[in-house]
Coordinates of all heavy atoms in Angstrom, one line a residue:
V29 N -121.9 -89.7 109.7 CA -121.3 -90.9 109.5 C -121.9 -92.0 110.5 O -121.6 -93.2 110.3 CB -119.8 -90.9 109.8 CG1 -119.0 -90.1 108.8 CG2 -119.5 -90.4 111.2
D30 N -122.7 -91.5 111.4 CA -123.4 -92.6 112.2 C -124.5 -93.2 111.4 O -125.1 -94.3 111.9 CB -124.0 -91.8 113.5 CG -124.9 -90.7 113.1 OD1 -124.6 -89.9 112.2 OD2 -126.0 -90.6 113.7
R31 N -124.9 -92.7 110.3 CA -126.0 -93.4 109.5 C -125.3 -94.2 108.4 O -125.3 -93.8 107.2 CB -126.9 -92.3 109.0 CG -127.6 -91.5 110.0 CD -128.6 -90.5 109.5 NE -129.3 -89.7 110.4 CZ -130.2 -88.8 110.2 NH1 -130.5 -88.5 108.9 NH2 -130.8 -88.1 111.1
S32 N -124.8 -95.4 108.7 CA -124.0 -96.1 107.8 C -124.9 -96.6 106.6 O -124.3 -96.9 105.5 CB -123.4 -97.3 108.4 OG -124.4 -98.2 109.0
Y33 N -126.2 -96.6 106.7 CA -127.1 -97.1 105.6 C -127.1 -96.0 104.5 O -127.5 -96.3 103.4 CB -128.5 -97.4 106.1 CG -129.2 -96.3 106.9 CD1 -129.9 -95.2 106.1 CD2 -129.2 -96.3 108.2 CE1 -130.5 -94.2 106.8 CE2 -129.8 -95.2 108.9 CZ -130.5 -94.2 108.2 OH -131.1 -93.2 108.9
F34 N -126.6 -94.8 104.8 CA -126.5 -93.9 103.8 C -125.5 -94.2 102.8 O -125.3 -93.5 101.7 CB -126.3 -92.4 104.3 CG -127.6 -91.7 104.8 CD1 -128.8 -92.4 104.8 CD2 -127.5 -90.4 105.2 CE1 -129.9 -91.8 105.3 CE2 -128.6 -89.8 105.6 CZ -129.8 -90.5 105.7
L35 N -124.6 -95.2 103.0 CA -123.5 -95.5 102.1 C -124.0 -95.9 100.7 O -123.3 -95.8 99.8 CB -122.7 -96.7 102.7 CG -121.7 -96.4 103.9 CD1 -121.2 -97.6 104.5 CD2 -120.6 -95.5 103.3
V36 N -125.3 -96.2 100.6 CA -125.8 -96.6 99.3 C -125.7 -95.4 98.4 O -125.5 -95.6 97.1 CB -127.3 -97.0 99.5 CG1 -128.2 -95.9 99.9 CG2 -127.8 -97.7 98.1
F37 N -125.6 -94.2 98.9 CA -125.4 -93.0 98.0 C -124.1 -93.0 97.4 O -123.9 -92.2 96.4 CB -125.8 -91.8 98.7 CG -127.2 -91.6 99.1 CD1 -127.7 -91.7 100.4 CD2 -128.1 -91.3 98.1 CE1 -129.0 -91.6 100.7 CE2 -129.5 -91.1 98.4 CZ -130.0 -91.3 99.7
L38 N -123.1 -93.7 97.9 CA -121.8 -93.7 97.3 C -121.8 -94.3 95.9 O -120.9 -94.2 95.1 CB -120.8 -94.5 98.2 CG -120.3 -93.9 99.5 CD1 -119.4 -94.8 100.2 CD2 -119.7 -92.5 99.2
L39 N -122.9 -95.0 95.6 CA -123.1 -95.6 94.2 C -123.5 -94.6 93.2 O -123.4 -94.9 92.0 CB -124.2 -96.7 94.3 CG -123.8 -97.9 95.2 CD1 -125.0 -98.8 95.2 CD2 -122.6 -98.7 94.5
I40 N -123.9 -93.4 93.6 CA -124.4 -92.4 92.6 C -123.3 -92.1 91.6 O -123.6 -92.2 90.4 CB -124.8 -91.1 93.4 CG1 -126.0 -91.4 94.2 CG2 -125.1 -90.0 92.3 CD1 -126.5 -90.2 95.0
A41 N -122.2 -91.5 92.0 CA -121.2 -91.2 91.0 C -120.7 -92.4 90.2 O -120.6 -92.2 88.9 CB -120.0 -90.4 91.7
P42 N -120.3 -93.5 90.8 CA -119.9 -94.6 89.9 C -121.0 -95.1 88.9 O -120.7 -95.4 87.8 CB -119.7 -95.7 91.0 CG -119.3 -95.0 92.2 CD -120.2 -93.8 92.2
L43 N -122.3 -95.1 89.4 CA -123.3 -95.5 88.4 C -123.6 -94.5 87.3 O -123.7 -94.8 86.2 CB -124.6 -95.8 89.2 CG -124.6 -97.0 90.1 CD1 -125.9 -97.1 90.9 CD2 -124.4 -98.3 89.3
I44 N -123.5 -93.2 87.7 CA -123.7 -92.2 86.7 C -122.6 -92.2 85.6 O -122.8 -92.2 84.4 CB -123.9 -90.7 87.3 CG1 -125.1 -90.6 88.1 CG2 -123.8 -89.7 86.2 CD1 -125.3 -89.3 88.8
G45 N -121.4 -92.2 86.2 CA -120.2 -92.3 85.4 C -120.2 -93.5 84.4 O -119.8 -93.5 83.3
G46 N -120.5 -94.7 85.1 CA -120.5 -95.9 84.3 C -121.5 -95.9 83.2 O -121.3 -96.6 82.2
F47 N -122.6 -95.3 83.4 CA -123.7 -95.2 82.5 C -123.4 -94.2 81.3 O -123.6 -94.6 80.1 CB -125.0 -94.7 83.1 CG -126.1 -94.7 82.2 CD1 -126.8 -95.9 81.8 CD2 -126.7 -93.5 81.7 CE1 -127.9 -95.8 81.0 CE2 -127.7 -93.4 80.9 CZ -128.3 -94.6 80.4
V48 N -122.8 -93.1 81.6 CA -122.5 -92.1 80.5 C -121.2 -92.3 79.9 O -121.0 -91.7 78.8 CB -122.8 -90.7 81.0 CG1 -124.1 -90.5 81.6 CG2 -121.7 -90.3 82.1
A49 N -120.3 -93.0 80.4 CA -119.0 -93.2 79.9 C -119.1 -93.9 78.6 O -119.9 -94.8 78.3 CB -118.0 -93.9 80.8
R50 N -118.2 -93.4 77.6 CA -118.1 -94.1 76.4 C -117.1 -95.3 76.3 O -117.1 -96.1 75.4 CB -117.7 -93.1 75.3 CG -118.7 -91.9 75.1 CD -118.1 -90.9 74.2 NE -119.1 -89.8 73.9 CZ -118.8 -88.6 73.3 NH1 -117.6 -88.5 72.8 NH2 -119.7 -87.7 73.2
R51 N -116.3 -95.3 77.4 CA -115.3 -96.4 77.4 C -114.9 -96.6 78.9 O -115.2 -95.8 79.7 CB -114.1 -96.2 76.7 CG -113.4 -94.8 76.9 CD -112.2 -94.5 76.0 NE -111.7 -93.2 76.3 CZ -112.1 -92.1 75.6 NH1 -113.1 -92.2 74.8 NH2 -111.6 -90.9 75.9
E52 N -114.3 -97.8 79.2 CA -113.8 -98.1 80.6 C -114.9 -97.8 81.6 O -114.6 -97.4 82.7 CB -112.6 -97.2 80.9 CG -111.4 -97.4 79.9 CD -110.7 -98.8 80.0 OE1 -111.1 -99.5 81.0 OE2 -109.9 -99.1 79.2
R53 N -116.1 -98.3 81.3 CA -117.2 -98.1 82.3 C -116.9 -98.8 83.6 O -117.2 -98.2 84.8 CB -118.5 -98.6 81.7 CG -119.0 -97.8 80.5 CD -120.3 -98.2 80.0 NE -120.8 -97.3 78.9 CZ -121.9 -97.5 78.3 NH1 -122.7 -98.5 78.5 NH2 -122.3 -96.7 77.4
V54 N -116.5 -100.1 83.6 CA -116.3 -100.9 84.8 C -115.1 -100.3 85.6 O -115.1 -100.2 86.8 CB -116.0 -102.3 84.5 CG1 -115.7 -103.1 85.7 CG2 -117.3 -102.9 83.8
T55 N -114.1 -99.9 84.8 CA -112.9 -99.3 85.4 C -113.3 -98.1 86.2 O -112.9 -97.9 87.4 CB -111.8 -98.9 84.4 OG1 -111.4 -100.0 83.6 CG2 -110.6 -98.3 85.0
F56 N -114.1 -97.2 85.6 CA -114.4 -95.9 86.3 C -115.3 -96.3 87.5 O -115.0 -95.8 88.6 CB -115.3 -95.0 85.4 CG -115.8 -93.8 86.1 CD1 -115.0 -92.7 86.3 CD2 -117.1 -93.8 86.6 CE1 -115.5 -91.6 87.0 CE2 -117.5 -92.7 87.4 CZ -116.8 -91.6 87.5
A57 N -116.2 -97.1 87.3 CA -117.2 -97.4 88.5 C -116.4 -98.1 89.7 O -116.6 -97.7 90.8 CB -118.3 -98.4 88.0
A58 N -115.5 -98.9 89.3 CA -114.8 -99.6 90.4 C -113.8 -98.6 91.1 O -113.8 -98.6 92.4 CB -113.9 -100.8 89.9
F59 N -113.1 -97.9 90.5 CA -112.2 -96.9 91.1 C -112.9 -95.8 91.8 O -112.5 -95.4 92.9 CB -111.2 -96.3 90.0 CG -110.0 -97.1 89.8 CD1 -109.9 -98.1 88.8 CD2 -108.9 -96.8 90.6 CE1 -108.8 -98.8 88.6 CE2 -107.6 -97.6 90.4 CZ -107.6 -98.6 89.4
A60 N -114.0 -95.3 91.1 CA -114.8 -94.2 91.9 C -115.4 -94.7 93.2 O -115.3 -94.0 94.2 CB -115.9 -93.7 90.9
L61 N -115.8 -95.9 93.2 CA -116.4 -96.5 94.4 C -115.3 -96.7 95.5 O -115.6 -96.4 96.6 CB -117.2 -97.8 94.1 CG -117.9 -98.5 95.3 CD1 -119.0 -97.5 95.8 CD2 -118.5 -99.8 94.8
A62 N -114.2 -97.2 95.0 CA -113.1 -97.4 95.9 C -112.6 -96.1 96.6 O -112.3 -96.0 97.8 CB -112.0 -98.1 95.2
I63 N -112.6 -95.1 95.8 CA -112.1 -93.7 96.2 C -113.1 -93.2 97.3 O -112.6 -92.8 98.4 CB -112.1 -92.7 95.1 CG1 -110.8 -93.0 94.2 CG2 -111.9 -91.3 95.6 CD1 -110.8 -92.3 93.0
Q64 N -114.4 -93.3 97.0 CA -115.3 -92.8 98.0 C -115.4 -93.6 99.3 O -115.5 -93.1 100.4 CB -116.6 -92.7 97.3 CG -116.7 -91.6 96.2 CD -118.1 -91.3 95.7 OE1 -118.7 -90.2 96.0 NE2 -118.6 -92.2 94.9

């Protein structure tokens, strides 16, 4: 956690899910990012 610049990797799951989702892409990406 001392390497805060690694936070960019938190975008992995939201972006993957938002890309492959068939619906509610923004909803998934926003909630997934908030959770992480």
Side-chain angles (χ1 to χ4, degrees):
V29 294
D30 57 316
R31 300 182 179 181
S32 57
Y33 54 85
F34 276 11
L35 282 173
V36 67
F37 289 108
L38 288 179
L39 294 171
I40 292 177
L43 289 178
I44 291 176
F47 180 76
V48 303
R50 295 174 181 171
R51 54 184 175 271
E52 300 290 350
R53 293 182 175 182
V54 174
T55 299
F56 174 84
F59 273 89
L61 185 59
I63 288 169
Q64 292 190 105

